[in-house]
Amino acid sequence: MIFNSVTYLVFFPAVTLLYFLLPYRFRNLWLLAASFLFYMNWNAAYGLLLLGSVVITYLTALLMEKTSEQGRRRAVMAVGLLLNLGALIYFKYSGFLIDNLNLILPGREFKAPDILLPVGISFYIFQALGYMLDVYYQKIAAEKNFFKYALFVSFFPQLVAGPIERSKNLLPQFDEKHDFDVDRVRSGLLMMLWGLFMKMVIADRLCLIVDHIFDSYLEYNGMEIILAVALFTIQIYCDFSGYSYIAIGSARVLGFKLMDNFHHPFLSCSIHQYWKNWHISLTSWFTDYVYIPLGGNRKGRLKKYRNTFLVFLISGFWHGAAWNYVIWGGFNGMLMVLEEALTPLRNRALAFLKVDKESFSYRFFAGLGTFGIVVFTFLIFRAPTISQAVAMLRQIKARPSVVSLFGESWSRLAEAGGLEGIEPVAVLLAILLLLLVDYMQFRQKDVAGLVLSQALLFRWMVYLVLLGTIILFGIYGNEYTQTAFIYFQF
């Protein structure tokens, strides 16, 4: 079941209605049952894997809390980590590891198991591991109520693609009594509507163009390929941020507050700022549970650079079992290290030239340069193989055709994606609206609050325009392929 499906359109109102009608003592059990139903809608066997991770981390946390001897605590935690990461490696990386083993040992042929990757496994295992590590570091007490903890791991709005919640934020909310609140429900529904707009109107429309160009890149010149990669960068942002808006909005309707996952990343003026604002729940997870335990920035500059690079390398591998993801993560790690190492020199140059870093001109050009670097990294990320990424770079070099940027490039790309009539204009206007909303949020404006504070007529105009745009220009297709969210595969 995915958010942009008719099934969810029926499922969510039914779950919400019964949630508020039930007595308080039964509500968590109802949400737990609904969450497992939501997840098992893909494959009933997935529920057993989810339950296994819940049971292992629940028992591990209880065992760690019952002993004060550090060696035993460490051993218990190691077992919990190995069991969960072992399941993740088996389902997600076994084929990749065996394929590479066959390359290393050409005389032997190991057969990779035929495994269907369980959707969202990277997200809920990381959330469960975060809880277990919080108990190990004694940041929280182990949760005694099994059903409450199971709901924390399986809570359906953020189960399959985050945000990856922290135990200190979400677990206590299951003890609160959430009454039906009209203002909160309106706010949540508006967030869900905006998320569907980002996903169905922008991301899925751009997907038609991007997929075609990447499948037949030899037919297009360098500028058209660059534009296609830039469109993919916008596509994946709208796809994943759109999912996050729907997740956060769904939880808000029910009375729960999930962490933000994006803060207008394309308005960032540096790679550091970009990664601080992109997939915040994953970035902060790696910071707290990998970067800091490795030593963070406490053991000198060189080790800080090493730790930064390792975190991004692991993060790249988290995204997928392929070398392009590993290289993408490592490349971003090198960019982070290089940018930090050159920061003193840059600051001296800006001071010498008397450039105000808060001025519009500096932010514009720094933001444009940062976006260009991000687009280049996403070429490595989106290409199905490293060899195709290299071939596309060669095509850009061989046929740059910069002049075509001011000519027919957009028309050719729109035509390649099957966009007809007013559809290309609608997509461009939707992207401009997205940039406007992001800019207002960057300026500390509560856009949703601003809309909801207006008169009834204006509010309904906004609702109907968004809904009408989704109906007229949204992409509809097979529930489990064409309109699936990109990050489900991670």
Side-chain angles (χ1 to χ4, degrees), residues 272 301 305 336-345:
H272 275 76
R301 183 172 297 180
Y305 294 161
M336 290 281 287
V337 170
L338 185 63
E339 184 178 79
E340 183 163 346
L342 295 177
T343 293
L345 180 62

Side-chain angles (χ1 to χ4, degrees), residues 23 38 121 128 236 255 306 341 356-357 361 367 371 416 435 465:
F38 173 86
I121 185 172
I236 194 171
R306 179 205 64 183
D356 181 6
K357 289 195 289 186
S361 58
F371 182 74
L435 293 175
V465 167

Side-chain angles (χ1 to χ4, degrees), residues 145-164:
N145 187 319
F146 174 78
F147 298 104
K148 177 183 167 185
Y149 173 69
L151 179 55
F152 161 73
V153 178
S154 65
F155 189 44
F156 74 86
Q158 46 86 224
L159 171 62
V160 294
I164 303 172

Side-chain angles (χ1 to χ4, degrees), residues 3-4 191-207 230-247 262 265-266 274 278 371 378 427-435 437-438 483-487:
F3 288 159
N4 52 326
M191 292 186 74
M192 294 173 69
L193 192 61
W194 179 246
L196 287 170
F197 172 82
M198 293 179 71
K199 164 65 177 170
M200 299 177 68
V201 177
I202 303 179
D204 287 345
R205 280 282 169 194
L206 295 182
C207 177
L231 293 179
F232 171 72
T233 306
I234 299 172
Q235 176 202 343
I236 194 171
Y237 169 57
C238 290
D239 190 280
F240 195 18
S241 183
Y243 175 93
S244 297
Y245 270 113
I246 301 170
F262 292 88
F266 294 154
Y274 170 81
W278 176 277
F371 182 74
F378 270 121
V427 173
L428 287 175
L429 290 176
I431 293 173
L432 289 175
L433 177 59
L434 169 72
L435 293 175
V437 170
D438 272 12
T483 61
F485 289 83
I486 293 173
Y487 264 68

Side-chain angles (χ1 to χ4, degrees), residues 44-117:
Y46 289 173
L48 295 175
L49 183 63
L50 174 60
L51 181 61
S53 180
V54 168
V55 171
I56 290 169
T57 49
Y58 172 76
L59 293 177
T60 300
L62 288 179
L63 288 171
M64 285 192 295
E65 193 168 71
K66 285 183 178 180
T67 179
S68 58
E69 204 278 307
Q70 188 60 21
R72 291 182 180 179
R73 285 172 54 82
R74 189 181 296 112
V76 171
M77 184 194 69
V79 172
L81 284 171
L82 287 173
L83 289 174
N84 277 274
L85 292 177
L88 182 60
I89 291 169
Y90 174 75
F91 283 101
K92 188 171 182 177
Y93 300 104
S94 57
F96 171 77
L97 296 174
I98 290 173
D99 288 343
N100 283 274
L101 191 61
N102 288 332
L103 291 175
I104 297 171
L105 303 172
R108 306 183 64 177
E109 187 69 27
F110 297 95
K111 184 175 175 59
D114 185 16
I115 303 172
L116 182 64
L117 178 66

Side-chain angles (χ1 to χ4, degrees), residues 16 45-46 57-58 82 184 203 239 272 302 311 314 316 333 343 377 391 424 469-470 488:
T16 303
Y46 289 173
T57 49
Y58 172 76
L82 287 173
R184 190 189 67 234
D239 190 280
H272 275 76
L302 289 179
V311 163
I314 297 169
T343 293
T377 66
T469 305
I470 292 169
F488 280 11

Side-chain angles (χ1 to χ4, degrees), residues 193 451 455-468:
L193 192 61
V451 171
L456 180 68
L457 179 61
F458 181 84
R459 292 202 310 269
W460 275 96
M461 283 178 59
V462 174
Y463 304 154
L464 293 175
V465 167
L466 284 176
L467 185 60

